[in-house]
Every structure is written in C-alpha cells, then in structure tokens.
Amino acid sequence: MEATNNFSSTNKLGQGGFGSVYKGQLSSDESMAVKRLDAFSCQGLEEFMNEIKLIAKLQHQNLVKLLGCCIEGDEKLLIYEYMPNKSLDYHLFDQTRKEQLDWSKRFAIIDGIAQGLLYLHKYSRVRIIHRDLKASNILLDLQMNPKISDFGLARIHASTTPSNTNRIVGTYGYMSPEYAMEGLFSVKSDVFSFGVLMLEIISGKRNTSFHKSGKALNLLVHAWELWKNGNWLDFVDPSLGDNFLSNDVSKCIIVALMCVQEKAADRPIMSEIITMLGSENAILQDPKKPAFFTTGNEGVSELLIYASQNDITLTVLKGR
C-alpha cells in the first residue's frame, strides 16, 4: 500500500479481466508492477495460483519476472518487474506512438517473442502453452525488448499430442480454430496466436477490429489475399515509410501466414520459425489459406454458433 500510494488511480498502469495493475516504488527507489486481483473472484484465485506455480519455474530474458506474491484475506497480489514502456498494443495501435517502432525494432520484438515461446515450448523445465498470447500481454522494457506476461491462462502440456478442455479461455481473434471449436490446445495453438501477432506488428492494425474496414473478414484473410496477388507491400504499416528491407518484411509475412494456417499440422513449430526468420536463404513453403477463411456475415454467424457449443470464456478487445 505504501509503494503504490494506497493503490492510487494516478499509479494505475492498466485494467485486466480479473484485476488492475499499479506502479509501485520501493524505499530503495526500485520500481515494480503490482497486479491486484479483484476480491471474491473464484476464477481470479484460480488464475492467481496458476500464475504463481508456473512463472516461478520460468527464467528467460523474454519473460516477465515475478518478484513476489501475497495472499492476505481478500487481497491477492502479484509483484512483477516494472516495464517502463508498457505493452506492445499501447504503441502499436496508436497513430503517434507507433512511429517509434521502426522496422528494426518491430523485427527485434518479433524475434524476442519467438525466443520466449521457444523456451516455454521446449527448454523450460515443463512444456507450457501460454493460451493467451496477444499484443497487450507483450510488455516492453526500457530498450523496447519484449517480455511475455500474464500466465494466468497458461497450462503445463506434458504430451506431444493436443490436449482437450471443455472450458475454453482466451481472446477472440488470437485463438486457433481447433481450440475455439473443439477445445484442443497444443504448442501449435500458441503458434497460431504468434502468427496473428506478427501480422499485427507488420501492418499496425488489430485483427479483432479489421472487419470494420470492409476489406476482408479479418487481418489474416487480408494478408493472404494481398500476398497471393503479389501486392504484399500494401499490407505493410504506412508509418514505416520505405525504411525497411522488402525481403525481410516479405519473409515475415510468409512465416506469419504459415503460422495461421487452418490445420495445426501445417503450422511450423517455434524452432523452425526462428530458423526461418534468422536465415537469409530460407526456403519457405507457400502458405495455405488461413483459418476462418470466410467472407460476409454468414460466415461469422456459423463460426460463433459452432464455438458456442463449448463452455467458452472470451476476451473481446476494444480500441482505447
């Protein structure tokens, strides 16, 4: 309470689905971020305990560090390292702030997220599926290095085959079709979310609100159609100007489209993605149509009816 000035609104950094995040200042002048979960939230308590158990086992430069935690009465607190540049979506979807993200920074952010996911999927002590990878869960440090945050929905996945759940949680627009429709999740679920995130970073547009532009049902469809017709340059964020290498951006678009292919088996794993992104002579396969490749309101209705057969919990993003 002392560090956050009694959770003052002036110290509030953001609001999540199960609580708020505040900036705190210790007597040693060290800054921290305090996640205060809402009281009397059973789902929040479950996520709280899940995050403690998982993140305590993780150590990687592209994952946010958990510094401490507290449960006292109705109070449930998580204390993280403070990230001064807030979240990726804070910069990426703002017309003024996005200009700070030149192509070299955007590529470094893509690579950093990929490295963090590779660690979760392969090199941590337990294989972890994040299940809620999105721009607001990518935090940026002082040098704009990305760190994956919010492991409340993450799950340990010991098997190499997909697991099934009857309770689907995540964020609309980032969820893979096999997870949204059948409750199946695996490392390929995170790969799908990563592909969506890559397309957002390249274009500077949100997938969840892109249908309002009238150009396509979603950002994935738009990217695939432009790439198929040889007009992929039209997909690039105009704020980048001409300050990028066309081969690098073209490669990133193709890799992203490979990640969002409808069938999980067609998507690459994170080690393959990192190899493709880091190689100048990578041989890339032509991506197939992305998931949810439908047009018009009829396609959307069919998808929502099918998905609603499960006990589904969704986070719907809205522009700030």
Side-chain angles (χ1 to χ4, degrees):
M1 290 179 69
E2 182 179 344
T4 61
N5 190 21
N6 198 20
F7 299 102
S8 166
S9 59
T10 58
N11 283 14
K12 191 172 181 178
L13 298 174
Q15 176 76 39
F18 299 101
S20 304
V21 181
Y22 300 84
K23 182 181 179 181
Q25 197 81 22
L26 298 173
S27 56
S28 61
D29 287 336
E30 181 184 359
S31 296
M32 61 182 181
V34 182
K35 183 177 182 179
R36 187 188 197 190
L37 277 75
D38 292 335
F40 309 114
S41 172
C42 295
Q43 194 170 10
L45 178 60
E46 179 184 342
E47 290 195 340
F48 178 84
M49 298 306 298
N50 187 65
E51 188 149 7
I52 293 173
K53 292 174 183 177
L54 290 184
I55 204 169
K57 302 176 182 178
L58 306 177
Q59 294 291 333
H60 191 274
Q61 62 182 355
N62 294 115
L63 304 180
V64 172
K65 291 180 183 177
L66 180 69
L67 303 179
C69 61
C70 175
I71 304 176
E72 183 176 334
D74 294 329
E75 289 287 356
K76 298 179 287 290
L77 306 175
L78 291 167
I79 294 86
Y80 296 96
E81 62 176 321
Y82 175 65
M83 304 294 282
N85 277 312
K86 301 186 178 182
S87 62
L88 176 58
D89 70 330
Y90 176 78
H91 297 272
L92 187 60
F93 303 127
D94 182 87
Q95 292 303 315
T96 301
R97 290 189 289 266
K98 69 164 55 180
E99 294 180 359
Q100 302 175 33
L101 297 175
D102 58 24
W103 175 246
S104 63
K105 286 179 181 168
R106 294 191 194 205
F107 186 81
I109 289 170
I110 289 171
D111 181 66
I113 299 168
Q115 296 290 348
L117 279 179
L118 177 62
Y119 171 79
L120 292 175
H121 292 176
K122 187 174 181 179
Y123 294 116
S124 66
R125 284 184 284 176
V126 288
R127 181 185 290 117
I128 292 175
I129 314 299
H130 189 277
R131 297 206 305 170
D132 199 22
L133 191 71
K134 56 186 176 182
S136 59
N137 282 342
I138 305 300
L139 304 185
L140 303 171
D141 69 10
L142 195 59
Q143 288 75 40
M144 302 295 279
N145 296 312
K147 300 201 178 191
I148 301 171
S149 70
D150 201 338
F151 288 81
L153 302 183
R155 288 293 181 269
I156 294 175
H157 185 65
S159 174
T160 56
T161 58
S163 295
N164 184 272
T165 179
N166 291 323
R167 179 175 172 268
I168 300 174
V169 291
T171 302
Y172 174 75
Y174 293 91
M175 295 170 65
S176 66
E178 70 275 9
Y179 182 52
M181 296 179 177
E182 302 175 56
L184 295 173
F185 67 91
S186 67
V187 294
K188 297 296 185 74
S189 310
D190 281 352
V191 167
F192 182 91
S193 302
F194 176 71
V196 175
L197 194 49
M198 280 187 69
L199 293 175
E200 291 185 329
I201 291 171
I202 296 166
S203 67
K205 297 180 176 65
R206 291 184 189 271
N207 182 40
T208 49
S209 58
F210 186 78
H211 66 279
K212 296 178 182 178
S213 68
K215 296 179 181 178
L217 174 64
N218 57 32
L219 193 63
L220 285 57
V221 173
H222 183 58
W224 191 83
E225 289 179 336
L226 288 176
W227 170 80
K228 184 182 68 170
N229 295 325
N231 299 321
W232 62 266
L233 274 172
D234 294 339
F235 185 73
V236 180
D237 191 342
S239 69
L240 291 172
D242 298 323
N243 300 317
F244 58 86
L245 296 175
S246 59
N247 288 342
D248 286 349
V249 177
S250 173
K251 176 173 64 178
C252 285
I253 292 175
I254 295 173
V255 171
L257 289 173
M258 292 173 69
C259 292
V260 297
Q261 293 176 110
E262 185 166 7
K263 293 182 179 179
D266 292 333
R267 299 172 210 147
I269 57 177
M270 291 312 304
S271 58
E272 295 171 333
I273 292 168
I274 290 172
T275 299
M276 288 187 286
L277 291 175
S279 173
E280 294 182 1
N281 302 312
I283 299 176
L284 306 179
Q285 298 178 354
D286 287 349
K288 299 175 183 177
K289 289 181 179 180
F292 308 129
F293 195 90
T294 53
T295 55
N297 291 331
E298 182 180 352
V300 179
S301 298
E302 289 176 359
L303 171 61
L304 292 178
I305 291 171
Y306 189 73
S308 66
Q309 294 174 2
N310 289 303
D311 177 16
I312 186 166
T313 302
L314 289 177
T315 302
V316 180
L317 298 179
K318 294 183 178 180
R320 295 177 178 175

